[in-house]
Amino acid sequence: MAGHHHDHDHVGHDHVGHDHGHRHSHGGHGGHSHAPASFGRAFAIGIALNTGFVIVEAGYGFASQSMALVADAGHNLSDVLGLAVAWIASVLVKRAPSPRFTYGLRGSSILAALFNAVFLLVATGAIAWEAILRLMSPEPVAGVTVMVVAGIGIAINGATALLFASGKGSDINIRGAYLHMAADAAVSLGVVLAGLAIVLTGALWIDPVVSLIIAGLIVWMTWGLLRDSMIMALSAVPPNIDPEAVRGFLAARPGVAMLHDLHIWPMSTTEIALTAHLVMPGGHPGNVFLLGLAEDLRKTFGIGHATVQIEGADGPACILAPEDVV
């Protein structure tokens, strides 16, 4: 910008900064994508277990002429797709930047989380629709066979969900995979309980009613994932960061008279970026100030990629200074 000194500072997890003009590739940097990278084995195990279960469940469904089992096998096949999408995204976030994709493909993890949220809600809608149809026209249920196969489903889906449990709080993409498997374990548990109740009472309406209750629970569990992934996709400030606290932190730095054009957004489901213009009448403070600022942003707010523009008090005013200008 004419009349202003411009300096960049980029900070990751394992390094402190770079001088102006120095290019830095984040691709393959272990500190940036640690959450997705550590779940590769969990994705592989989950996909293998669920694929095997789909084959067994569909086989038993056709053999026992139970459309309930065949339908559930189709639903579990959708889980394999959901896990595959989340896994692919966890790999793509580690791709090196290119001239066109200057942040690499880090945003793919946000898209995967959004896809899983929407996909899970659509699948739940299908379950609810089927339950309503069966409530209006009850069908006999092969109780014991359904209970046994659904019991296996609880074990497989529950075990797969546990593989992702440790990462669901720090990475929304992993949370999507976790919710997908936890929801399926809940569906399987409902099938077992409904099958038992039908065997004991003979009341066919129990199965669809339980299905509707489970569908409601899944929607309740998934709503937060949909909201958070949608917010991330729109480049909003991540919910765990208070933008006013960041603004106050930057304004309080020695030598800063005012600041403007502050932007905070998620680069991926685990990384946060920031840009800001700092007006410093005393002139450019030097790289020590910038490196310390970026390190403090990382430690205090978890913002690992900070780019700061320093502006003096003289010269033309910055065209991005007004609050209504983006």
Side-chain angles (χ1 to χ4, degrees), residues 177-198:
Y178 169 81
L179 281 177
H180 228 118
M181 304 319 301
D184 266 7
V187 169
S188 296
L189 177 60
V191 170
V192 170
L193 294 176
L196 179 61
I198 290 169

Side-chain angles (χ1 to χ4, degrees), residues 45-320:
I45 293 172
I47 289 173
L49 284 175
N50 280 273
T51 301
F53 181 56
V54 165
I55 294 171
V56 171
E57 188 174 33
Y60 270 101
F62 285 115
S64 63
Q65 295 186 332
S66 170
M67 288 313 296
L69 281 181
V70 174
D72 195 49
H75 174 65
N76 283 312
L77 186 60
S78 75
D79 292 333
V80 175
L81 175 60
L83 285 177
V85 168
W87 191 8
I88 290 169
S90 74
V91 173
L92 291 179
V93 295
K94 293 178 284 181
R95 290 281 293 273
S98 68
R100 181 168 294 279
F101 296 97
T102 56
Y103 280 132
L105 297 175
R106 284 164 165 70
S108 59
S109 58
I110 298 173
L111 293 179
L114 182 58
F115 170 85
N116 260 325
V118 173
F119 193 52
L120 193 51
L121 289 174
V122 170
T124 304
I127 292 173
W129 179 250
E130 179 66 22
I132 291 170
L133 292 179
R134 291 180 63 187
L135 195 58
M136 293 188 294
S137 166
E139 297 176 11
V141 178
V144 176
T145 303
V146 171
M147 286 169 61
V148 171
V149 177
I152 298 172
I154 293 174
I156 289 177
N157 292 320
T160 306
L162 288 175
L163 293 175
F164 299 105
S166 64
K168 65 184 174 68
S170 58
D171 185 347
I172 195 174
N173 186 38
I174 300 298
R175 192 166 116 212
Y178 169 81
L179 281 177
H180 228 118
M181 304 319 301
D184 266 7
V187 169
S188 296
L189 177 60
V191 170
V192 170
L193 294 176
L196 179 61
I198 290 169
V199 168
L200 293 176
T201 67
L204 298 181
W205 59 266
I206 293 174
D207 183 68
V209 167
V210 170
S211 295
L212 286 173
I213 292 172
I214 292 170
L217 287 173
I218 295 173
V219 170
W220 179 72
M221 288 169 58
T222 309
W223 192 254
L225 176 66
L226 177 65
R227 181 195 62 228
D228 291 347
S229 56
M230 185 75 76
I231 287 172
M232 280 188 166
L234 293 173
S235 297
V237 178
N240 61 319
I241 291 183
D242 179 1
E244 290 306 313
V246 176
R247 180 178 291 275
F249 170 83
L250 292 173
R253 305 299 284 194
V256 176
M258 63 180 67
L259 68 106
H260 55 264
D261 201 38
L262 172 63
H263 297 281
I264 308 165
W265 74 98
M267 294 167 57
S268 72
T269 52
T270 59
E271 300 164 276
I272 303 168
L274 171 149
T275 60
H277 293 200
L278 303 183
V279 179
M280 304 187 73
H284 193 273
N287 281 356
V288 172
F289 172 90
L290 292 175
L291 297 177
L293 174 62
E295 181 68 9
D296 288 343
L297 284 170
R298 184 184 68 81
K299 288 182 177 179
T300 307
F301 300 102
I303 298 172
H305 191 109
T307 304
V308 174
Q309 176 167 306
I310 303 298
E311 298 173 0
D314 56 342
C318 178
I319 60 171
L320 297 177

